[in-house]
Every structure is written in C-alpha cells, then in structure tokens.
Amino acid sequence: MILHVDMDQFYAAVEQREHPEFSGKPVIVGADPKEGRGRGVVQTCSYEAREFGIRSGMPISRAWKLCPDAIFVRPKFELYISTSNRVMAILRRKAEKFEQWGLDEAFLDVTSKVEGFEKAKQLALTIKKEILRKERLTCSIGIGSNKLVAKIASDYNKPDGITMVRDGEESRFLAPLPVRRLLWIGKKTERQLGKLGIKTIGDLAGFDTLTLREKFGSMASYYFQAARGIDESEVSGKGIAKSISREVTFEEDTSDMNQIFETLNQLCREIHEELEEKKKLFKTITIKIRYGTFRTFTHGKTLSFYSNSLQTFQKTSMKLFEPFLKKNEKVRLIGVKVSNFLSGGKQKTLF
Ligand code: TTP
Ligand code: MG
C-alpha cells in the first residue's frame, strides 16, 4: 500500500502563507522579471497565476507579459527547505518505508500500517489534517498498490485532493489519461506516440508490442508495464541522501547564455541552501545538459577538497558547462548535482 504525497503549488503556497495579503492572488516565484527584461525562469506559481497560462520553467519575461500585475517574488530557498523538512518529518513518521523526491513530494510505504484501502484513506486524511494544522499548507495524496499508480493519482485531483486507486482498478484508472502522465514520457515521446495514434495510456496498453519495441527499443517494455499500471519498484527506505540535484526544463529550448547561466546559478543557490541546512560539504559536482535534439550529456568534476562554498560550486558548474555551450545548439534542460558528501556537523567553512 503506497501513498504519494505532493504539496500544492509548494513555493507559492509558502509565500502565500507568509504573506496573507498574497492569498487569492497570482503569485510567481522565480527570477526578477525586470519589467519584462529579466532573465531566468518561473520556478512555480500560484493557481491564480496558472489561470493566465503561466507555468514552471517558463521564461520570467514571458510570465511578466502574460500577467504584469502578478506578485513576483524571488525564491527564498531557506524558507522552503525548512518548511519541507518539517513536512517530511511528519510524513516519515507515518510510513514503514519513506522516500523523498525533491522538496515537495514523497512516497510512503504503509503496507504494514493500514489494513485495506479505507484505512489508507483515513491515514491520508490524518496526514492532510496534520500538515494543514502545523504548516497551514495543503497537499494532494494518491493511494495505490504501487509507486507509479500512487504518483499519478496524487496529481489527479489537485489541489487538496485524495485519489484512491484500488487493487485491480489500475488499468481502468490509467486508460483515459494522456500518455504524458507516465514518468519518462516527455513531449518528444508524446509526439512520437501521437504519430502512431497513441494518445491515452489506454491506447498505449492496447498497442501492438512488437511495433513498440521496433520504435522504442528497451523503453518499450517499460511502456508495456507502465500502461497496465504495473510497477514493482520499492519505496527505497529511510536511507540518507547520497546526492542532491536540481534540474530545469526550459519551456522553450534556448541558446541564450544569460538565461542558461542565470538559471544555473539559481539551481546552484537552491542546492547550496539545502547543503547548508543539512550541514554537508561536497566534493563532486556533476552537470547535465540536454539539447533540443534530446542528446544528453553529463560531465563531472571531483574537487581536491571538501567545500561548502557557493562560489566554488557556481564557478565549477559554469566551467563544466562551457564546452557544451559553444556549439550553436539549443538547450532543452540543464541540471546540476553534488555528491560525495562529508557531514560537516560543527565544522567551519573550508574553501
Ligand atoms: P511541483 O510539485 O512540480 O509543483 P508545485 O508544487 O509548485 O505545484 P503542484 O500543485 O502542481 O504540485 O514542484 C514542486 C516545487 O519545485 C515547486 O513549488 C517549485 C520547484 N520547481 C522548480 O523550481 N522548477 C521547476 O521546473 C518545477 C517543476 C518545480
Ligand atoms: Mg507539488
């Protein structure tokens, strides 16, 4: 029995909580719009802003054009991380096994904690109440017999929803949903599938498996299983993070260096805040770049020392990116990861 919990409009909800005068208004968290001349992207926005067509990953300049009267706020990662830590602590206690994804979502394996789906629903209600009472935030929860189904279910009835997919109902639940809902199916695969007449997960489940294998190689068996709601992956447990990473898909592929580097710096700052919070030093930095053509590269460097310096982190990441940005190729996604940690405890700043 798996629960997937995903906070609603997370950064924006925290901002609305901290500033009651923002509630009910379009709030956009991201780079400075500078009256439409700003670089960087929208990280998230309130549901009120989404009504203007604003989305995560969109250039901030475009968001400004769509809704110049919105409230634009610079991200306060420290605040989001401390909030996230408290939410995750609530969730961790409810689960037999617990796996956090990013700042605002987590899987809970509650198999041994509840008997049957009705009890699981009660647990989900209890969790929602506790988070609302302690943090004044809402979340959406999916309940299912595996991670795949629970994850799709949590997104089904947002915000503040609970969606339960009982054992045996997986295929029926998934069938009408667009294929994009499946993890690993992005815009490009969606287009390729669309050409074969596959729009919904049901279409995918009913499609000839040999043709799928011809077109998609080894991914075909993932599609085959996922479309039927089969997923045997485990909730990974209470393990300690071995790496911290962030990535952003640009809403439109870009070759604008300023935008790329601004976004990179933003990602580094975000990871750095989390490192500070967790009192970790890092040694290895890895970057990831995906071009508009979907060609993807990762490239890393291990420093000769453990560091907690944001400057070292940003400079090294930029250097790692440089050789990948010389060709005049448009970039779809950038990501950055730190690993090889030393738990700094009381240790002072190193380099
Ligand atoms: P999401 O859960 O994707 O978004 P959300 O919580 O803002 O909205 P929803 O109600 O639809 O779940 O991401 C969680 C947080 O991660 C989000 O508040 C901001 C951050 N984020 C980025 O910084 N960049 C991104 O491209 C995305 C998608 C999210
Ligand atoms: Mg969320």
XYZ file of all heavy atoms in Angstrom, residues 257-258 260-265 268 285 287 299 311-325 336:
235
model
N 22.732 32.490 -23.538
C 23.697 32.204 -22.473
C 23.294 32.813 -21.140
O 23.473 32.222 -20.096
C 25.083 32.769 -22.829
C 25.710 32.100 -23.997
S 26.136 30.401 -23.599
C 26.631 29.857 -25.209
N 22.782 34.054 -21.219
C 22.396 34.715 -19.975
C 21.328 33.914 -19.258
O 21.391 33.702 -18.056
C 21.861 36.118 -20.245
C 22.981 37.075 -20.516
O 24.044 36.964 -19.909
N 22.762 37.982 -21.439
N 20.671 30.767 -19.589
C 21.201 29.474 -19.136
C 22.007 29.656 -17.846
O 21.808 28.948 -16.863
C 22.047 28.814 -20.245
C 21.130 28.418 -21.416
C 22.784 27.585 -19.713
C 21.857 27.986 -22.659
N 22.898 30.662 -17.838
C 23.735 30.836 -16.650
C 22.958 31.362 -15.450
O 23.216 30.979 -14.324
C 24.967 31.704 -16.963
C 26.040 30.932 -17.690
C 26.650 31.443 -18.823
C 26.435 29.676 -17.244
C 27.627 30.713 -19.498
C 27.406 28.938 -17.904
C 28.009 29.466 -19.037
N 21.991 32.240 -15.702
C 21.146 32.712 -14.595
C 20.433 31.521 -13.947
O 20.348 31.403 -12.734
C 20.064 33.669 -15.109
C 20.544 35.071 -15.359
C 20.533 35.914 -14.087
O 19.866 35.511 -13.117
O 21.214 36.946 -14.086
N 19.908 30.667 -14.809
C 19.168 29.509 -14.308
C 20.104 28.572 -13.560
O 19.770 28.062 -12.494
C 18.475 28.772 -15.478
O 17.691 29.730 -16.191
C 17.586 27.652 -14.995
N 21.294 28.386 -14.121
C 22.275 27.530 -13.458
C 22.606 28.075 -12.065
O 22.621 27.336 -11.079
C 23.545 27.446 -14.313
C 24.724 26.717 -13.663
C 24.373 25.254 -13.407
C 25.969 26.819 -14.540
N 22.829 29.383 -11.986
C 23.148 29.980 -10.692
C 22.008 29.790 -9.708
O 22.225 29.544 -8.523
C 23.467 31.468 -10.850
C 24.891 31.667 -11.331
O 25.741 30.805 -11.110
N 25.147 32.770 -12.000
N 22.153 26.275 -8.451
C 23.265 26.115 -7.504
C 22.878 26.704 -6.149
O 23.155 26.110 -5.109
C 24.532 26.797 -8.014
S 25.271 25.967 -9.423
N 30.907 17.557 -8.284
C 29.854 18.321 -8.959
C 29.648 17.697 -10.332
O 30.615 17.429 -11.050
C 30.280 19.797 -9.131
C 30.500 20.426 -7.752
C 29.250 20.579 -9.931
C 31.202 21.763 -7.802
N 27.265 18.046 -13.902
C 26.241 18.813 -14.613
C 25.598 17.924 -15.672
O 26.156 16.900 -16.079
C 26.811 20.086 -15.277
C 27.911 19.744 -16.279
C 27.347 21.051 -14.216
C 27.563 19.886 -17.698
N 28.596 15.568 -17.120
C 30.020 15.845 -17.050
C 30.304 16.242 -15.607
O 29.553 17.029 -15.031
C 30.314 16.993 -18.020
C 31.756 17.318 -18.152
N 32.752 16.370 -18.161
C 32.376 18.517 -18.295
C 33.910 16.978 -18.302
N 33.717 18.278 -18.384
N 30.361 29.919 -4.193
C 31.142 30.438 -5.312
C 31.893 29.326 -6.042
O 31.870 29.246 -7.268
C 32.119 31.466 -4.788
C 32.273 32.600 -5.756
C 33.386 33.525 -5.331
O 34.112 33.264 -4.369
N 33.533 34.606 -6.042
N 32.541 28.462 -5.271
C 33.246 27.322 -5.873
C 32.267 26.472 -6.676
O 32.544 26.042 -7.798
C 33.872 26.444 -4.762
O 34.689 27.265 -3.952
C 34.659 25.296 -5.331
N 31.120 26.273 -6.080
C 30.086 25.444 -6.706
C 29.644 26.067 -8.037
O 29.633 25.411 -9.090
C 28.928 25.317 -5.707
C 27.795 24.451 -6.147
C 27.960 23.483 -7.125
C 26.540 24.596 -5.560
C 26.897 22.678 -7.524
C 25.480 23.806 -5.951
C 25.657 22.859 -6.938
N 29.338 27.368 -8.004
C 28.839 28.019 -9.221
C 29.920 28.093 -10.296
O 29.668 27.800 -11.463
C 28.331 29.423 -8.887
C 26.993 29.361 -8.139
C 26.474 30.722 -7.711
O 27.256 31.620 -7.421
N 25.163 30.868 -7.651
N 31.137 28.442 -9.878
C 32.223 28.570 -10.865
C 32.526 27.240 -11.523
O 32.691 27.147 -12.727
C 33.487 29.093 -10.178
C 33.519 30.589 -10.083
C 34.947 31.023 -9.793
C 35.009 32.524 -9.635
N 36.121 32.934 -8.788
N 32.597 26.195 -10.677
C 32.915 24.873 -11.225
C 31.817 24.407 -12.169
O 32.091 23.873 -13.247
C 33.107 23.850 -10.074
O 33.942 24.422 -9.095
C 33.685 22.555 -10.573
N 30.576 24.641 -11.781
C 29.474 24.224 -12.653
C 29.534 24.942 -13.987
O 29.345 24.346 -15.049
C 28.107 24.509 -12.026
O 28.082 24.152 -10.694
N 29.809 26.241 -13.941
C 29.882 27.010 -15.189
C 30.987 26.473 -16.083
O 30.800 26.308 -17.281
C 30.166 28.475 -14.891
C 28.924 29.228 -14.535
S 29.331 30.969 -14.577
C 27.794 31.667 -14.024
N 32.148 26.198 -15.468
C 33.269 25.652 -16.245
C 32.877 24.336 -16.889
O 33.209 24.067 -18.025
C 34.473 25.420 -15.328
C 35.290 26.651 -15.089
C 36.803 26.298 -15.132
C 37.642 27.511 -14.807
N 37.752 27.717 -13.344
N 32.151 23.516 -16.131
C 31.748 22.216 -16.661
C 30.790 22.397 -17.841
O 30.792 21.616 -18.782
C 31.090 21.374 -15.564
C 32.032 20.811 -14.484
C 31.248 20.262 -13.299
C 32.922 19.715 -15.069
N 29.975 23.445 -17.770
C 29.002 23.667 -18.847
C 29.639 24.224 -20.110
O 29.193 23.939 -21.212
C 27.894 24.626 -18.386
C 26.680 23.909 -17.872
C 26.389 23.894 -16.520
C 25.826 23.249 -18.748
C 25.282 23.217 -16.037
C 24.716 22.573 -18.281
C 24.439 22.559 -16.918
N 30.673 25.046 -19.912
C 31.211 25.808 -21.034
C 31.430 25.010 -22.319
O 30.917 25.388 -23.367
C 32.492 26.543 -20.630
C 32.193 27.983 -20.340
C 33.323 28.665 -19.591
O 34.467 28.168 -19.644
O 33.034 29.685 -18.939
N 32.158 23.894 -22.253
C 32.406 23.183 -23.518
C 31.131 22.710 -24.210
O 31.136 22.454 -25.411
C 33.266 21.986 -23.092
C 33.182 21.925 -21.614
C 32.816 23.264 -21.118
N 30.052 22.626 -23.462
C 28.813 22.142 -24.056
C 27.980 23.274 -24.654
O 26.959 23.042 -25.275
C 27.973 21.403 -23.016
C 28.605 20.125 -22.570
C 29.366 20.080 -21.426
C 28.447 18.972 -23.336
C 29.958 18.897 -21.022
C 29.049 17.791 -22.948
C 29.805 17.747 -21.782
N 28.404 24.501 -24.424
C 27.581 25.622 -24.868
C 28.191 26.338 -26.065
O 27.652 27.297 -26.550
C 27.373 26.616 -23.715
C 26.583 26.034 -22.542
C 26.551 27.020 -21.383
C 25.162 25.673 -22.959
N 22.092 20.136 -12.320
C 23.356 20.101 -11.592
C 23.185 19.262 -10.332
O 22.086 19.208 -9.763
C 23.861 21.546 -11.337
C 22.879 22.338 -10.538
C 25.208 21.569 -10.653
